[in-house]
Structure formats: structure tokens, C-alpha cells
Amino acid sequence: MKLSIYYSESTDPSFNQAIEETLLKQANGNNIIAFLWQNQRSVNIGKDQNPWRVCKPKLLRSENINIVRRHTIGGAIYQDLTHTNIALIGPTHYLTQCIIKKILIGTFEPLKLDIAVSNNLECLVENKKISNTALSVSEDYLFFHTTLRVNTSLADISKYMNSRYSILNHQNLERSYTSINQHIRPLEHNELCHYISDSIQKTLKLDVENTVIVNNQHPDWIEFSTIFYRLKSWDWNYGQSPSFIESLETEFSWGHVELKLNVDAGVITKVYYDTTIQYHNMMNDLSQAAIGYPFNAKSVISIVCGLLLTHSEHYDELMALSEWLQQEIA
């Protein structure tokens, strides 16, 4: 059995997600793979999640924070440089949940931090989570991923994540979450990676091959670039979302507007509207023109530009409508 530990110098969440996904594809029965990295400000969502429901796309877009959809199921999590990520991949006959628990406990022993590891492999300090973990076990392989909060601002989690649809009510964050640095001396990412890799080697007792992945330099791996550009795309991060209905309502100087948009796989499939009677024709044409467009701000510009040709008498109203919708839609 061979142990390979990869360290990423990149903080690009799409790049690191592509590394993790490619490593998972490379899994074989003779190798344990570990991957350590951190991401710049981003929101990482599960394969089947809806970004419009679990986080705040408008705010994220305004602050140039990316949403990245994982290839695995699980919950949404806000990340920044105050987090450290660990992935472990290996055959189930060798890499077990018991082994992973020993690795996690061993990581914090030199730091004199007393942690508990739950049955679902979450790390807890004083009954508060310092991790968010995903675990997938197939017949042949085990895939473990955890994000450790090192010095995380809980206020940032509340700011960017949408508590209306989250399992965790953000008003209770301080009762449920904590960070490593709240309990020990200040700890940086590189030092924590040293303790993690040391614990992995001591627990597994295998010869190790260490590889540093140079900052944003694409490795010469089959499928890596294809996966990377998919993870950068709107079609993947937004277009893979389950169906939902978005309700929007506002008051203009010229009247009230209410919209309900059916969105399927990120594409507008139907629009219901209610407005002042003199604008019904304009809004009816808008509701028809919007069908088939991606549910994003760029689409609004295209839709409204088309309407200006047939409703030039409502130029001011259409411009106001366009500005409002671009602000409301990510």
C-alpha cells in the first residue's frame, strides 16, 4: 500500500475542487490519497443543492465571491483563508472510519487540544463543531472530506449563507460552531497541514510521497482541465439546480409589479405577473420572451432590449424594470 499526500498552493476554489475530483477518479486499491488545501472566499455547495436557496448569490456576486458546486452530495459551506480542507481517499479494506478518527485525534494531540470525533466524523471542541464533514463509502472506496474552521468569523457565515433554507439557524451559530484558534494559540494553515500530514503518516505507517501542486498550474492529469472549466461554468454551478419558483415584488412610481418565475435547471420556464392594467401588454410580452433564458442578470438585458423594439413608448418603465431585475437576480 502506498501513501500520496498532495498540498495545493492555490486558493482558487474551482482549481482545488478540480484537483479533489480528479484525485477521486484516480483512486485504486493500492493507494491512499490525502489532499490538503484552503480556498479564498467562496461558497461550496452540494451536487443537488440550489444556490438561490442555500446562500445569497446577489451579495456574493457584488463582492466577487464565487459559488462552486461539488461533485458529491452534502451541505453548503462558506469558506475563506481561515479554513483548512482535508480529503482522504482509499480502499475500504484499509482506509476505515476508525482510521480516520485516529488521524483527526492525532492531528490535535501535539497542540494539546482535546477534541471529540463524532460517529459521522465531525470534530468537536466543548460540544461545538470545528468542522463540516462529508463522507461517501462505496463497495470499494471511502471518500472523506472535512473543512476545519481555524479562525473563522461566524458573522461571515451568517452574512453569506441563507438561514431561511439552512438546516442550521444562524442565530444559533455560536451555540453550535467554534474555531480552533478560540481554544489554543494562533495557528496558521501551513502549520496545521504539518500536524495533519504527520498524523496521517503515523496512523497509516506507510511510506509517503509528497507532492506540492504549484499555484494554479494545471497538472498533467487526464480530465483535469475539462473538470476545471466545468467547475468555472454557470451551467454547472447554477444550471444544475433543482426546480424552484422565485417570487419578486416591488413598487415603481408608475405602478406595482409582482412576478413569479418558474426555474428548471437554471432556465426560466414560465413567468406569472401582476401589474397595473395599462402595462399588461408589456408584461405579457416580457413573460413570454423570458422563457428559455438562464435565470441570471445578463438574461434580463437581452430580454428587455428585445422588448424595447416593440414597446418603445414604455422605455422608462422597461429601464426601471431592467435595473430592478438585474439587482434581484444573481
Side-chain angles (χ1 to χ4, degrees), residues 255-267:
H256 180 80
V257 172
E258 182 177 352
L259 295 173
K260 291 186 184 298
L261 300 95
N262 288 15
V263 182
D264 185 17
V267 173

Side-chain angles (χ1 to χ4, degrees), residues 149-173:
R149 281 180 289 279
V150 182
N151 192 31
T152 306
S153 165
L154 298 184
D156 283 343
I157 298 175
S158 296
K159 179 180 179 181
Y160 299 116
M161 305 305 291
N162 196 340
S163 61
R164 290 183 300 163
Y165 301 95
S166 175
I167 294 173
L168 178 65
N169 187 321
H170 288 178
Q171 292 179 347
N172 297 323
L173 273 176

Side-chain angles (χ1 to χ4, degrees), residues 294-327:
F295 183 66
N296 61 32
K298 289 182 180 179
S299 295
V300 173
I301 299 172
S302 298
I303 295 166
V304 170
C305 282
L307 291 174
L308 286 171
L309 298 175
T310 53
H311 294 277
S312 57
E313 72 279 13
H314 294 314
Y315 176 88
D316 290 340
E317 291 88 344
L318 284 168
M319 286 295 97
L321 192 65
S322 176
E323 183 179 353
W324 170 60
L325 287 173
Q326 287 180 67
Q327 291 174 350

